[in-house]
Structure formats: structure tokens, C-alpha cells
Amino acid sequence: QLQLHESGPGLVKPSETLSLTCTVSGGSITSSTYYWGWIRQPPGKGLEWIGNIYYSGSTYYNPSLKSRVTISVDTSKNQFSLKLSSVTAADTAFYYCARRGNPYWFDPWGQGTLVTVSS
Amino acid sequence: QSVLTQPPSASGTPGQRVTISCSGRSSNIGSNSVNWYQQLPGAAPKLLIYSNNQRPSGVPDRFSGSKSDTSASLAISGLQSEDEADYYCAAWDDSLTVYVFGTGTKVTVL
């Protein structure tokens, strides 16, 4: 059964870079059928798609975050990662990684990790 | 960036049928398939319906989805206490070039 697990610092200072890694188990990240994505959710609020990556390294980002987002993949570790630069308190959220299928849907999701931006 | 509008809340008694609407535009629901996600309290979202009306393996057939023009609906028949959760619709938006989620609906079982 495919599982995803997010890891990374739970606290990031304003203006710094948020870095998270998603480890995929129970399946290969190099599957030609799927992309891999990041979604976030501020506490008590709705969901926001951040971006996707294919195992080849091809990416697509939410235009509203594009200038600050980098998603990368490490096929040797079956992992993909998120970097979000110049963070502010507005970036405080639960960050989820998920597998993206076609047409556009996300399943399964990781359990999520809360990242708080605060000095 | 929630361009998909849902009612903030819905409720019903056990056994009842509850329907949640999702209103969009020609650039999202009108052009692309709709998905529904269930988020139980304190948990990650889970795919409930994909491609407008398809259920992933393991999702009870009490859940059903439909789409018409620029709107979609999720129906829960035979409501159960464990269905108490937040529900989000979602679709790709061709104009914004973003995967957009709905505003979310909290379902309460009375």
C-alpha cells in the first residue's frame, strides 16, 4: 500500500526558507503514471495547491507562489522535496504531500506536518 | 483563491440523505472533472470521489458525485456518525492554471 510521509522543521523564522521532504513507501516515485504534489492548509482554513513534480524533474507551480517555490525529486531515495523561500506568518500551515493522478486528483495524502513561521 | 463555492455547513440525522453543492465556472467545473475530498477531524484529506462520479476502492457507495454544467454535487445517503467531517470539492482551472479547492462544507450529524 502506497504511503507518503512528510518531514522537516516545524518552526521557521520569518524571511527564511521552509524545507520539507516527502518520503514515498510501498511504491516507486518513478511510476510513469503519476505526478507528486504539495498542498497546504492554514490551521482552521481551506486547502491550497502548491505545485507538482514528475519523476523526470518536470514541475508545475501555483502561479501565486511560483516566485518562492521549488519542488525537487530524488529518485534514488524515493523522495521529493519542497522549498518555500522568504516565508511570513501567512505561510504557517499544515503541509501535505500527495500522489497526483490523471485527470487531476490527489490520493493518497501524507498525514501532514505543521510548519509555524515565527521568530 | 477559492473560486469554487460551497455552503459552509450541512447537517442531517442518521440515515438521512445530505447533499453538498459546489458552484464554479466554465473554466473549472465547466471544462474539467471534479473531485471530492473528505477531511475527518484532525486528519489529512482523503479522496472520496474522482472524475465527477467515480469512487476509489474502499469508499462506500453511500457517497455519490454528479456534475452539471458549472456545478457539482456530493450526496451522502444513509448518513452515519462517522461521516461528520469537512468536505471539499476541487478541479483544475484552465484560466487560472491552478488546481482549485472549494471553500469547504462542514457536515454535522445531529
Side-chain angles (χ1 to χ4, degrees), chain B residues 29-68:
Chain B
I29 294 178
S31 305
N32 298 292
S33 61
V34 177
N35 309 310
W36 290 90
Y37 299 90
Q38 177 193 57
Q39 187 173 29
L40 296 170
K46 168 192 165 186
L47 182 67
L48 200 63
I49 297 287
Y50 68 98
S51 295
N52 304 323
N53 54 18
Q54 301 299 302
R55 283 186 308 276
S57 174
V59 172
D61 59 7
R62 304 186 289 105
F63 295 93
S64 62
S66 63
K67 186 182 96 166
S68 177

Short mmCIF file of all heavy atoms in Angstrom, two decimals, chain B residues 29-68:
data_model
loop_
_atom_site.label_atom_id
_atom_site.label_comp_id
_atom_site.label_asym_id
_atom_site.label_seq_id
_atom_site.Cartn_x
_atom_site.Cartn_y
_atom_site.Cartn_z
N ILE B 29 -15.10 23.79 -13.35
CA ILE B 29 -16.05 22.67 -13.40
C ILE B 29 -16.61 22.49 -14.80
O ILE B 29 -16.85 21.36 -15.25
CB ILE B 29 -17.17 22.88 -12.36
CG1 ILE B 29 -16.60 22.83 -10.95
CG2 ILE B 29 -18.28 21.84 -12.54
CD1 ILE B 29 -17.62 23.08 -9.84
N GLY B 30 -16.82 23.59 -15.50
CA GLY B 30 -17.39 23.50 -16.83
C GLY B 30 -16.50 22.83 -17.85
O GLY B 30 -16.96 22.39 -18.90
N SER B 31 -15.19 22.75 -17.54
CA SER B 31 -14.23 22.21 -18.52
C SER B 31 -13.50 20.97 -18.04
O SER B 31 -12.87 20.28 -18.84
CB SER B 31 -13.18 23.27 -18.85
OG SER B 31 -13.77 24.46 -19.28
N ASN B 32 -13.53 20.73 -16.73
CA ASN B 32 -12.71 19.66 -16.18
C ASN B 32 -13.49 18.83 -15.16
O ASN B 32 -14.53 19.25 -14.66
CB ASN B 32 -11.48 20.27 -15.50
CG ASN B 32 -10.61 21.02 -16.49
OD1 ASN B 32 -9.99 20.44 -17.37
ND2 ASN B 32 -10.56 22.35 -16.35
N SER B 33 -12.93 17.68 -14.84
CA SER B 33 -13.61 16.80 -13.91
C SER B 33 -13.47 17.32 -12.48
O SER B 33 -12.53 18.04 -12.15
CB SER B 33 -13.07 15.37 -14.02
OG SER B 33 -11.69 15.35 -13.71
N VAL B 34 -14.42 16.91 -11.66
CA VAL B 34 -14.49 17.37 -10.27
C VAL B 34 -14.13 16.22 -9.34
O VAL B 34 -14.50 15.06 -9.57
CB VAL B 34 -15.91 17.87 -9.94
CG1 VAL B 34 -16.01 18.27 -8.47
CG2 VAL B 34 -16.27 19.05 -10.85
N ASN B 35 -13.40 16.57 -8.30
CA ASN B 35 -13.06 15.60 -7.26
C ASN B 35 -13.63 16.09 -5.93
O ASN B 35 -13.84 17.29 -5.73
CB ASN B 35 -11.55 15.47 -7.13
CG ASN B 35 -10.88 15.21 -8.45
OD1 ASN B 35 -11.28 14.32 -9.19
ND2 ASN B 35 -9.87 16.00 -8.77
N TRP B 36 -13.85 15.15 -5.03
CA TRP B 36 -14.31 15.48 -3.69
C TRP B 36 -13.38 14.83 -2.67
O TRP B 36 -12.96 13.67 -2.85
CB TRP B 36 -15.74 14.98 -3.47
CG TRP B 36 -16.77 15.74 -4.24
CD1 TRP B 36 -17.23 15.48 -5.50
CD2 TRP B 36 -17.50 16.89 -3.78
NE1 TRP B 36 -18.18 16.40 -5.86
CE2 TRP B 36 -18.37 17.27 -4.82
CE3 TRP B 36 -17.50 17.63 -2.61
CZ2 TRP B 36 -19.23 18.37 -4.72
CZ3 TRP B 36 -18.36 18.73 -2.50
CH2 TRP B 36 -19.22 19.08 -3.56
N TYR B 37 -13.07 15.57 -1.63
CA TYR B 37 -12.21 15.08 -0.56
C TYR B 37 -12.95 15.17 0.77
O TYR B 37 -13.68 16.12 1.02
CB TYR B 37 -10.92 15.90 -0.49
CG TYR B 37 -10.09 15.84 -1.74
CD1 TYR B 37 -10.28 16.76 -2.77
CD2 TYR B 37 -9.13 14.84 -1.93
CE1 TYR B 37 -9.54 16.69 -3.94
CE2 TYR B 37 -8.39 14.77 -3.09
CZ TYR B 37 -8.60 15.69 -4.09
OH TYR B 37 -7.85 15.61 -5.25
N GLN B 38 -12.70 14.17 1.60
CA GLN B 38 -13.25 14.15 2.96
C GLN B 38 -12.11 14.36 3.94
O GLN B 38 -11.08 13.70 3.83
CB GLN B 38 -13.92 12.80 3.23
CG GLN B 38 -14.46 12.63 4.64
CD GLN B 38 -14.81 11.18 4.95
OE1 GLN B 38 -13.97 10.28 4.85
NE2 GLN B 38 -16.06 10.94 5.31
N GLN B 39 -12.29 15.29 4.88
CA GLN B 39 -11.28 15.51 5.90
C GLN B 39 -11.91 15.31 7.27
O GLN B 39 -12.63 16.17 7.78
CB GLN B 39 -10.66 16.90 5.78
CG GLN B 39 -9.48 17.10 6.72
CD GLN B 39 -8.75 18.41 6.50
OE1 GLN B 39 -9.33 19.41 6.07
NE2 GLN B 39 -7.44 18.42 6.77
N LEU B 40 -11.62 14.18 7.88
CA LEU B 40 -12.09 13.90 9.23
C LEU B 40 -11.33 14.79 10.21
O LEU B 40 -10.22 15.24 9.92
CB LEU B 40 -11.88 12.43 9.57
CG LEU B 40 -12.69 11.43 8.72
CD1 LEU B 40 -12.23 10.01 8.98
CD2 LEU B 40 -14.17 11.57 8.97
N PRO B 41 -11.90 15.06 11.37
CA PRO B 41 -11.26 15.95 12.36
C PRO B 41 -9.84 15.49 12.69
O PRO B 41 -9.61 14.33 13.03
CB PRO B 41 -12.18 15.84 13.57
CG PRO B 41 -13.52 15.50 13.00
CD PRO B 41 -13.24 14.61 11.83
N GLY B 42 -8.89 16.39 12.54
CA GLY B 42 -7.51 16.12 12.88
C GLY B 42 -6.76 15.23 11.90
O GLY B 42 -5.63 14.80 12.19
N ALA B 43 -7.35 14.95 10.76
CA ALA B 43 -6.73 14.05 9.80
C ALA B 43 -6.44 14.75 8.47
O ALA B 43 -6.91 15.86 8.22
CB ALA B 43 -7.64 12.84 9.54
N ALA B 44 -5.67 14.08 7.63
CA ALA B 44 -5.41 14.59 6.30
C ALA B 44 -6.62 14.35 5.39
O ALA B 44 -7.42 13.44 5.64
CB ALA B 44 -4.19 13.87 5.71
N PRO B 45 -6.77 15.16 4.36
CA PRO B 45 -7.86 14.89 3.41
C PRO B 45 -7.70 13.53 2.76
O PRO B 45 -6.59 13.01 2.61
CB PRO B 45 -7.69 16.02 2.38
CG PRO B 45 -7.00 17.11 3.12
CD PRO B 45 -6.05 16.39 4.05
N LYS B 46 -8.83 12.99 2.34
CA LYS B 46 -8.87 11.68 1.67
C LYS B 46 -9.75 11.82 0.43
O LYS B 46 -10.81 12.43 0.47
CB LYS B 46 -9.47 10.65 2.62
CG LYS B 46 -9.84 9.32 1.99
CD LYS B 46 -10.68 8.48 2.95
CE LYS B 46 -11.36 7.33 2.26
NZ LYS B 46 -12.27 6.60 3.15
N LEU B 47 -9.27 11.26 -0.68
CA LEU B 47 -10.05 11.32 -1.93
C LEU B 47 -11.31 10.48 -1.77
O LEU B 47 -11.25 9.29 -1.46
CB LEU B 47 -9.20 10.79 -3.08
CG LEU B 47 -9.86 10.82 -4.46
CD1 LEU B 47 -10.10 12.26 -4.92
CD2 LEU B 47 -9.00 10.07 -5.48
N LEU B 48 -12.45 11.12 -2.03
CA LEU B 48 -13.74 10.46 -1.87
C LEU B 48 -14.39 10.13 -3.21
O LEU B 48 -14.97 9.07 -3.39
CB LEU B 48 -14.66 11.40 -1.06
CG LEU B 48 -15.87 10.81 -0.35
CD1 LEU B 48 -15.45 9.80 0.71
CD2 LEU B 48 -16.69 11.94 0.26
N ILE B 49 -14.31 11.10 -4.14
CA ILE B 49 -14.87 10.96 -5.48
C ILE B 49 -13.88 11.57 -6.46
O ILE B 49 -13.35 12.67 -6.20
CB ILE B 49 -16.22 11.70 -5.61
CG1 ILE B 49 -17.27 11.10 -4.68
CG2 ILE B 49 -16.70 11.71 -7.07
CD1 ILE B 49 -17.82 9.74 -5.10
N TYR B 50 -13.62 10.91 -7.58
CA TYR B 50 -12.79 11.48 -8.63
C TYR B 50 -13.52 11.39 -9.96
O TYR B 50 -14.48 10.61 -10.10
CB TYR B 50 -11.41 10.82 -8.70
CG TYR B 50 -11.43 9.37 -9.16
CD1 TYR B 50 -11.16 9.05 -10.49
CD2 TYR B 50 -11.72 8.34 -8.27
CE1 TYR B 50 -11.17 7.74 -10.91
CE2 TYR B 50 -11.73 7.03 -8.69
CZ TYR B 50 -11.46 6.73 -10.01
OH TYR B 50 -11.48 5.42 -10.43
N SER B 51 -13.09 12.18 -10.91
CA SER B 51 -13.72 12.20 -12.23
C SER B 51 -15.24 12.32 -12.14
O SER B 51 -15.98 11.55 -12.77
CB SER B 51 -13.34 10.94 -13.02
OG SER B 51 -11.95 10.93 -13.27
N ASN B 52 -15.67 13.26 -11.34
CA ASN B 52 -17.10 13.63 -11.17
C ASN B 52 -17.92 12.64 -10.36
O ASN B 52 -18.70 13.05 -9.50
CB ASN B 52 -17.78 13.80 -12.54
CG ASN B 52 -17.10 14.80 -13.43
OD1 ASN B 52 -16.60 15.81 -12.96
ND2 ASN B 52 -17.05 14.50 -14.72
N ASN B 53 -17.76 11.34 -10.63
CA ASN B 53 -18.67 10.39 -10.01
C ASN B 53 -18.05 9.02 -9.73
O ASN B 53 -18.78 8.05 -9.49
CB ASN B 53 -19.90 10.21 -10.90
CG ASN B 53 -19.54 9.82 -12.32
OD1 ASN B 53 -18.44 9.36 -12.58
ND2 ASN B 53 -20.47 10.01 -13.25
N GLN B 54 -16.74 8.93 -9.76
CA GLN B 54 -16.08 7.65 -9.53
C GLN B 54 -15.59 7.54 -8.09
O GLN B 54 -15.02 8.47 -7.54
CB GLN B 54 -14.89 7.50 -10.49
CG GLN B 54 -15.28 7.57 -11.95
CD GLN B 54 -16.24 6.47 -12.33
OE1 GLN B 54 -15.94 5.28 -12.18
NE2 GLN B 54 -17.42 6.87 -12.83
N ARG B 55 -15.82 6.38 -7.49
CA ARG B 55 -15.39 6.14 -6.12
C ARG B 55 -14.11 5.31 -6.10
O ARG B 55 -14.06 4.24 -6.71
CB ARG B 55 -16.47 5.40 -5.32
CG ARG B 55 -17.63 6.24 -4.87
CD ARG B 55 -18.56 5.41 -3.96
NE ARG B 55 -18.94 4.14 -4.60
CZ ARG B 55 -19.93 4.02 -5.45
NH1 ARG B 55 -20.66 5.08 -5.77
NH2 ARG B 55 -20.22 2.85 -5.99
N PRO B 56 -13.08 5.80 -5.39
CA PRO B 56 -11.88 4.95 -5.22
C PRO B 56 -12.26 3.69 -4.45
O PRO B 56 -13.26 3.65 -3.74
CB PRO B 56 -10.94 5.83 -4.39
CG PRO B 56 -11.44 7.22 -4.59
CD PRO B 56 -12.92 7.10 -4.76
N SER B 57 -11.43 2.68 -4.61
CA SER B 57 -11.65 1.44 -3.89
C SER B 57 -11.73 1.71 -2.39
O SER B 57 -10.90 2.43 -1.83
CB SER B 57 -10.48 0.48 -4.18
OG SER B 57 -10.57 -0.68 -3.41
N GLY B 58 -12.73 1.13 -1.74
CA GLY B 58 -12.87 1.27 -0.30
C GLY B 58 -13.84 2.36 0.13
O GLY B 58 -14.23 2.40 1.30
N VAL B 59 -14.23 3.22 -0.78
CA VAL B 59 -15.20 4.27 -0.43
C VAL B 59 -16.61 3.69 -0.55
O VAL B 59 -16.98 3.15 -1.59
CB VAL B 59 -15.05 5.50 -1.35
CG1 VAL B 59 -16.18 6.50 -1.10
CG2 VAL B 59 -13.70 6.15 -1.14
N PRO B 60 -17.40 3.80 0.53
CA PRO B 60 -18.74 3.22 0.50
C PRO B 60 -19.61 3.83 -0.60
O PRO B 60 -19.47 5.01 -0.94
CB PRO B 60 -19.30 3.57 1.88
CG PRO B 60 -18.12 3.84 2.73
CD PRO B 60 -17.08 4.41 1.82
N ASP B 61 -20.54 3.02 -1.12
CA ASP B 61 -21.39 3.52 -2.20
C ASP B 61 -22.48 4.47 -1.67
O ASP B 61 -23.33 4.93 -2.45
CB ASP B 61 -22.02 2.36 -2.98
CG ASP B 61 -22.85 1.43 -2.12
OD1 ASP B 61 -23.06 1.75 -0.94
OD2 ASP B 61 -23.29 0.39 -2.64
N ARG B 62 -22.44 4.78 -0.38
CA ARG B 62 -23.32 5.82 0.17
C ARG B 62 -22.92 7.20 -0.36
O ARG B 62 -23.70 8.13 -0.31
CB ARG B 62 -23.22 5.84 1.69
CG ARG B 62 -23.52 4.54 2.37
CD ARG B 62 -23.55 4.67 3.88
NE ARG B 62 -22.24 4.90 4.47
CZ ARG B 62 -21.84 6.06 4.94
NH1 ARG B 62 -22.63 7.13 4.86
NH2 ARG B 62 -20.64 6.19 5.48
N PHE B 63 -21.68 7.29 -0.82
CA PHE B 63 -21.18 8.56 -1.35
C PHE B 63 -21.30 8.54 -2.87
O PHE B 63 -20.86 7.59 -3.53
CB PHE B 63 -19.72 8.76 -0.96
CG PHE B 63 -19.50 8.92 0.53
CD1 PHE B 63 -19.19 7.82 1.31
CD2 PHE B 63 -19.62 10.16 1.13
CE1 PHE B 63 -19.00 7.96 2.68
CE2 PHE B 63 -19.43 10.32 2.49
CZ PHE B 63 -19.11 9.20 3.27
N SER B 64 -21.87 9.59 -3.42
CA SER B 64 -22.01 9.68 -4.87
C SER B 64 -21.81 11.12 -5.33
O SER B 64 -22.11 12.06 -4.60
CB SER B 64 -23.37 9.17 -5.33
OG SER B 64 -24.41 9.96 -4.78
N GLY B 65 -21.26 11.27 -6.52
CA GLY B 65 -21.00 12.59 -7.06
C GLY B 65 -21.66 12.77 -8.42
O GLY B 65 -21.88 11.80 -9.15
N SER B 66 -21.97 14.03 -8.72
CA SER B 66 -22.55 14.34 -10.02
C SER B 66 -22.08 15.72 -10.44
O SER B 66 -21.61 16.52 -9.62
CB SER B 66 -24.08 14.29 -9.96
OG SER B 66 -24.57 15.27 -9.06
N LYS B 67 -22.20 15.98 -11.74
CA LYS B 67 -21.80 17.29 -12.28
C LYS B 67 -22.76 17.69 -13.37
O LYS B 67 -23.22 16.85 -14.17
CB LYS B 67 -20.38 17.20 -12.85
CG LYS B 67 -19.82 18.56 -13.30
CD LYS B 67 -18.43 18.41 -13.91
CE LYS B 67 -18.48 18.33 -15.41
NZ LYS B 67 -17.15 18.53 -16.02
N SER B 68 -23.08 18.98 -13.38
CA SER B 68 -23.94 19.51 -14.44
C SER B 68 -23.50 20.93 -14.75
O SER B 68 -23.52 21.80 -13.88
CB SER B 68 -25.41 19.50 -14.00
OG SER B 68 -26.22 20.08 -15.00
#
